[in-house]
Amino acid sequence: MSCLAVKRLNVLRKFFFLLICSTAQPLNRSLLQAQPYYAASRGYNCAACHINPTGGGMRKPSASNPTRLSDTVNLGADFRFMLNKKEAGPAASFAVVRNAFYVLAVPTPELALLYNNNQGATAEMYALAKLPGDFPAYLRAGRFFIPYGLQLNDPDNSGLTRISPFAPSVGFSLSPTQSDTGIEFGLAPKSEYFFNLSVTNGAANGAAAASEAKAIAGRWGFVGKTGAMGATFFHHRNSDSAAGQNEIRYGIFGWTRFGMIVFIGEGGWGTNTANAGSAKTHQTAFHGELNYEMAKDELLLRGQLDNLNPDTKKAGDSRTRYILGAEWFLLKYLSLETQLRIVTETPSVPNNEILALTHVWF
């Protein structure tokens, strides 16, 4: 072997050694910080780990963050790769279902500037200002995920857990279409309570909207060591044309903990009232999941049920999905997950599926 080849081999060995060391789990850090289960099992608000006061998106960087460029600038990313085999499909398909890139600048302890490019589009771009001192009040302006409900991650934005008729994509998923442009005020301590209230354009994807098309969203509640309870609402009146409608959404959510078992749930109700005439549609949705940490910081088991009824007065349009899954946290920034999804609806459709997901984040 030539000297050049030996040198290249040594460089590769050093690279992989440093990579393994940088991703190895510190003894005092939980890998489950990438999951809502972590906050629920420890009595935290989602804001305890995320830049977003309502949870989701970029996590607060630490001094050991591998993408920390300086004391004021940090980079982040969130990748999800999915292998999906549908019951009626001819073969398994592979897709990149999430490729979010974050840039965070913190010029002062009271000011944070965040940019989030998700799936090639600007999902978030806002300034977040906090009051000096220990009082956890904040004000943010720009484009952000509106503060509605739990905002749990739906890895492939499959639609059902997003409560799809809750426009503009108000529901349980953090997808680019759920963000909107406006201002928000709130209280976001690490635990005990939370309050968030926003006024935005009311247009999906942060598109321009007339002054009549504003949306108001909010959430508030209390967090304890063994559980949490909250309420949430959303109101959007689009009076730009006769085709517009008055949209109202409201719900309750929370979680409770029994040892290593955590139940997380949310119920949603809503109405759409047409501007022209008196036609009104009533919707209901429910999300419930049971999480069990089978192996501490390594293996999380999950059972999940989602139900969506887009029109309670119409028969045969309700859908229910059951999910059984297991997620292995292999390294500090890497997890593998498998899911079995069973969907029941009328008329019956062979749309069950098996998923294998890889999650990489930092």
Side-chain angles (χ1 to χ4, degrees):
M1 183 179 296
S2 66
C3 294
L4 180 60
V6 171
K7 289 182 179 179
R8 289 177 177 175
L9 182 60
N10 289 335
V11 169
L12 287 175
R13 286 174 177 172
K14 291 179 180 179
F15 171 78
F16 284 112
F17 175 77
L18 292 174
L19 180 64
I20 293 173
C21 290
S22 66
T23 57
Q25 174 195 4
L27 295 178
N28 61 350
R29 181 180 176 89
S30 173
L31 301 182
L32 298 177
Q33 283 184 327
Q35 282 287 337
Y37 170 87
Y38 178 83
S41 64
R42 288 154 176 82
Y44 291 158
N45 285 337
C46 297
C49 295
H50 292 271
I51 302 297
N52 186 349
T54 60
M58 186 175 185
R59 294 157 188 85
K60 292 180 178 178
S62 64
S64 61
N65 194 39
T67 54
R68 185 182 183 92
L69 300 184
S70 68
D71 291 339
T72 59
V73 180
N74 288 268
L75 303 179
D78 191 338
F79 301 101
R80 295 179 188 267
F81 309 95
M82 182 181 72
L83 185 65
N84 185 356
K85 177 61 177 74
K86 296 182 180 294
E87 181 181 1
S93 61
F94 178 80
V96 180
V97 293
R98 187 73 55 84
N99 57 1
F101 294 90
Y102 310 107
V103 180
L104 173 67
V106 187
T108 71
E110 292 78 29
L111 179 64
L113 306 173
L114 177 73
Y115 176 75
N116 171 9
N117 186 291
N118 196 329
Q119 301 292 91
T122 299
E124 295 179 291
M125 185 169 59
Y126 61 80
L128 178 68
K130 300 179 181 179
L131 290 180
D134 297 329
F135 191 62
Y138 72 89
L139 179 69
R140 69 171 166 175
R143 183 175 177 183
F144 47 83
F145 294 123
I146 60 177
Y148 181 93
L150 284 174
Q151 304 195 50
L152 298 176
N153 267 312
D154 181 13
D156 58 334
N157 297 326
S158 53
L160 187 57
T161 53
R162 288 174 55 207
I163 318 183
S164 53
F166 284 21
S169 299
V170 178
F172 304 120
S173 169
L174 290 178
S175 65
T177 56
Q178 193 182 338
S179 60
D180 200 3
T181 303
I183 59 174
E184 177 181 313
F185 168 78
L187 303 174
K190 184 176 180 180
S191 61
E192 297 181 354
Y193 62 91
F194 56 88
F195 172 79
N196 318 99
L197 181 66
S198 73
V199 179
T200 60
N201 279 337
N205 296 311
S211 59
E212 301 93 339
K214 297 301 179 185
I216 301 175
R219 60 197 290 275
W220 63 93
F222 300 91
V223 179
K225 288 294 184 181
T226 59
M229 179 62 68
T232 188
F233 76 94
F234 170 81
H235 182 207
H236 173 215
R237 182 174 182 84
N238 185 346
S239 56
D240 290 342
S241 65
Q245 60 185 3
N246 184 30
E247 302 166 349
I248 297 176
R249 307 290 182 258
Y250 54 93
I252 57 175
F253 60 90
W255 61 78
T256 185
R257 175 172 64 89
F258 303 96
M260 306 301 286
I261 298 176
V262 170
F263 172 77
I264 302 174
E266 180 169 0
W269 299 266
T271 60
N272 287 346
T273 305
N275 291 340
S278 57
K280 180 180 289 189
T281 302
H282 297 265
Q283 299 103 24
T284 63
F286 172 79
H287 169 91
E289 62 177 73
L290 195 66
N291 297 267
Y292 172 57
E293 192 174 350
M294 186 173 181
K296 184 173 176 56
D297 293 336
E298 293 181 7
L299 178 60
L300 185 66
L301 304 182
R302 181 183 299 110
Q304 181 175 319
L305 184 150
D306 300 308
N307 176 263
L308 171 65
N309 191 339
D311 188 348
T312 58
K313 295 182 179 180
K314 181 181 178 181
D317 64 340
S318 178
R319 300 182 67 207
T320 302
R321 181 171 67 175
Y322 307 88
I323 297 178
L324 293 176
E327 186 166 6
W328 291 269
F329 295 84
L330 303 178
L331 298 171
K332 184 176 178 180
Y333 304 110
L334 172 66
S335 74
L336 300 177
E337 182 178 5
T338 57
Q339 287 188 5
L340 170 63
R341 294 179 175 181
I342 299 175
V343 180
T344 61
E345 57 187 319
T346 304
S348 180
V349 178
N351 53 8
N352 302 328
E353 54 188 342
I354 298 176
L355 276 66
L357 297 156
T358 301
H359 185 196
V360 181
W361 72 95
F362 52 84

